[in-house]
Amino acid sequence: MAKYVCDVCGYIYDPAVGDPDASIPAGTAFSALPEDWVCPMCGVGKDSFSPA
């Protein structure tokens, strides 16, 4: 599964890790994230991410 990087702050979403603070389990692909998921570092939406 591909990693995605936030275009605003550089945070990298790694599917192997997920986002434990948002209750997103490891193994969750970026495409499977809820539409209302936001960057845990700066708060922008999924549309502000690009493949890493």
Side-chain angles (χ1 to χ4, degrees):
M1 285 185 281
K3 295 179 183 179
Y4 279 74
V5 62
C6 177
D7 298 329
V8 176
C9 73
Y11 169 81
I12 296 176
Y13 175 76
D14 183 349
V17 177
D19 182 3
D21 294 337
S23 300
I24 305 294
T28 302
F30 186 81
S31 61
L33 290 171
E35 286 305 311
D36 62 351
W37 181 84
V38 296
C39 176
M41 297 296 288
C42 70
V44 298
K46 288 174 63 177
D47 59 340
S48 294
F49 278 73
S50 301

